[in-house]
Amino acid sequence: MTEFENLTDFSGGRDATPPPYDVIVVGAGAAGILAAGRAAELGSKVLLLEKMDRAGRKLLLTGKGRCNITNTAPLDEFLKHIHPNSRFIRHAFSRFFSDDITRLLNENGCLTVIERGGRVFPSSNRSSDVLNSLMQWMTRHPVEIRYRHKVTDLVLQDGRVAGLKIHSTRGHEMIRAKSVILCTGGMAYPATGSNGDGYSLAASAGHTIETPRPALVPLETAGDMAPRLQGLNLKNVRAAVWIHGKKTQDAFGEMLFTEFGISGPIILTLSRLMVDALRNNARVELSIDLKPALDETKLDLRLVRDLTAN
Ligand SMILES: Cc1cc2nc3c(=O)[nH]c(=O)nc-3n(C[C@H](O)[C@H](O)[C@H](O)COP(=O)(O)OP(=O)(O)OC[C@H]3O[C@@H](n4cnc5c(N)ncnc54)[C@H](O)[C@@H]3O)c2cc1C
């Protein structure tokens, strides 16, 4: 007997009474708060389940505690920076884009500023203001929220999601709903609550899961160059990724050497490509052009000039 078989409800048979909720949203991060608020705004009876003791723990960490909310770049430019397969996201962004989230926050007490590169931050520089503003907006609509409720399984009936099973301090429970929205986040920083539960929940409903792998991460390097150069910060350099000896992608900007390897904005940008190549056992190398604005002749003259002067 499984731990759920002695629960009432519909694990095997049918229940004629209508489900108590139209929508159950799993996960109270930025996505779950917006999904729950919007569903309630449209008139649905909504339950938001969060396994941690409060909402938005990861959001509080973002942008080094400042939360880089969005960017003012136009849609096509924006998509280029998100994912190689951005067609999937285009549709969603055509309904709700950067100016919509900025307006929503502004109208709910979080003023914003635009910084270098079109990056949008809260004027207060506090990610907690972003979270408070989202919560304020959501709770204007009738959303029931339960913290410390971990969703353990989806309940499927006739190939459709019909509810879910949860675990809380009260033990195990089943809750029925017409639909379930999974907003369980990725699997980085599991201490914030997003530990990858959502992947197995989605897979149980028949979704194909693309194996999660790190992106926007610092990288370890072979040899002892990194520890020797540890702390060195390079500005206005161009780093190029070579895979099996072929130059594949480059990026211009800032990078630094760490105890174990390399980090900084351009390395984080290039890391998705390098991680995928390394996972495929490819030979991955990085070259750094320290003076990308100078051609060889100008560089030569500059070196001669500097050496003569010093
Ligand atoms: C260090 C760091 C800095 C970042 N900086 C930025 C930034 O400046 N700007 C930016 O746009 N993005 C940033 N990000 C990315 C951003 O944090 C995520 O994209 C965002 O938090 C995703 O929101 P989400 O609602 O999808 O998921 P999450 O915020 O991860 O929320 C998922 C929620 O689901 C809950 N949950 C998971 N499983 C269950 C379950 N089984 N039952 C119940 N609840 C469950 C979790 O507890 C969690 O509260 C940063 C990420 C990190 C790690």
Side-chain angles (χ1 to χ4, degrees):
M1 187 179 191
T2 71
E3 56 190 331
F4 292 108
E5 273 173 288
N6 58 352
L7 289 168
T8 53
D9 221 358
F10 56 104
S11 50
R14 296 278 179 279
D15 186 336
T17 56
Y21 298 98
D22 297 312
V23 179
I24 299 180
V25 178
V26 187
I33 295 169
L34 282 169
R38 179 66 178 149
E41 190 178 32
L42 293 173
S44 296
K45 190 156 189 319
V46 182
L47 172 64
L48 174 58
L49 296 171
E50 168 56 53
K51 72 176 172 192
M52 305 301 277
D53 56 1
R54 55 169 300 177
R57 275 177 167 254
K58 186 173 276 178
L59 201 158
L60 293 174
L61 290 182
T62 57
K64 296 186 178 149
R66 298 176 65 210
C67 186
N68 180 187
I69 300 163
T70 184
N71 195 286
T72 56
L75 182 57
D76 282 329
E77 180 64 23
F78 204 104
L79 289 173
K80 273 191 223 157
H81 293 274
I82 292 195
H83 192 274
N85 178 14
S86 56
R87 261 184 19 183
F88 174 70
I89 320 168
R90 181 180 286 274
H91 182 65
F93 276 155
S94 69
R95 300 288 302 273
F96 190 88
F97 193 43
S98 52
D99 45 348
D100 298 302
I101 186 67
T102 306
R103 193 175 322 111
L104 186 150
L105 294 173
N106 291 166
E107 285 172 2
N108 287 277
C110 178
L111 298 180
T112 47
V113 286
I114 301 170
E115 296 192 2
R116 184 173 46 82
R119 295 172 306 155
V120 182
F121 288 93
S123 316
S124 65
N125 282 327
R126 285 196 306 255
S127 55
S128 54
D129 285 355
V130 177
L131 177 60
N132 292 340
S133 166
L134 288 177
M135 290 299 282
Q136 179 175 314
W137 170 78
M138 182 183 74
T139 46
R140 285 199 341 225
H141 312 291
V143 174
E144 181 185 337
I145 312 172
R146 293 194 209 166
Y147 295 110
R148 299 189 194 86
H149 279 66
K150 178 182 158 76
V151 173
T152 56
D153 300 88
L154 296 180
V155 175
L156 304 166
Q157 218 169 41
D158 303 329
R160 283 182 57 88
V161 171
L164 38 73
K165 296 173 181 174
I166 56 175
H167 184 248
S168 69
T169 47
R170 297 204 314 242
H172 294 282
E173 212 181 318
M174 260 193 255
I175 314 177
R176 294 190 305 139
K178 288 186 194 156
S179 53
V180 170
I181 306 179
L182 287 181
C183 297
T184 41
M187 55 196 302
Y189 282 76
T192 61
S194 39
N195 62 350
D197 281 354
Y199 298 122
S200 47
L201 292 171
S204 74
H207 289 283
T208 307
I209 307 300
E210 192 174 327
T211 308
R213 61 245 190 232
L216 295 175
V217 284
L219 294 162
E220 290 181 17
T221 51
D224 67 348
M225 189 171 69
R228 285 195 290 126
L229 296 179
Q230 183 181 351
L232 177 65
N233 202 345
L234 300 174
K235 290 200 169 116
N236 301 324
V237 297
R238 183 170 294 283
V241 179
W242 299 73
I243 296 174
H244 286 314
K246 185 167 177 271
K247 187 171 166 183
T248 311
Q249 193 183 341
D250 60 13
F252 174 81
E254 210 171 311
M255 64 169 284
L256 61 103
F257 288 89
T258 66
E259 185 181 355
F260 302 105
I262 45 178
S263 187
I266 59 174
I267 299 303
L268 299 192
T269 302
L270 295 170
S271 66
R272 181 205 304 270
L273 174 76
M274 290 194 271
V275 166
D276 280 351
L278 289 166
R279 285 169 59 88
N280 291 328
N281 295 319
R283 180 162 54 89
V284 181
E285 290 157 311
L286 190 88
S287 65
I288 306 166
D289 186 345
L290 299 172
K291 288 282 173 201
L294 303 181
D295 61 22
E296 220 167 300
T297 317
K298 284 189 188 143
L299 179 64
D300 204 41
L301 289 171
R302 172 76 64 87
L303 285 173
V304 171
R305 191 194 67 190
D306 287 355
L307 288 170
T308 311
N310 299 293

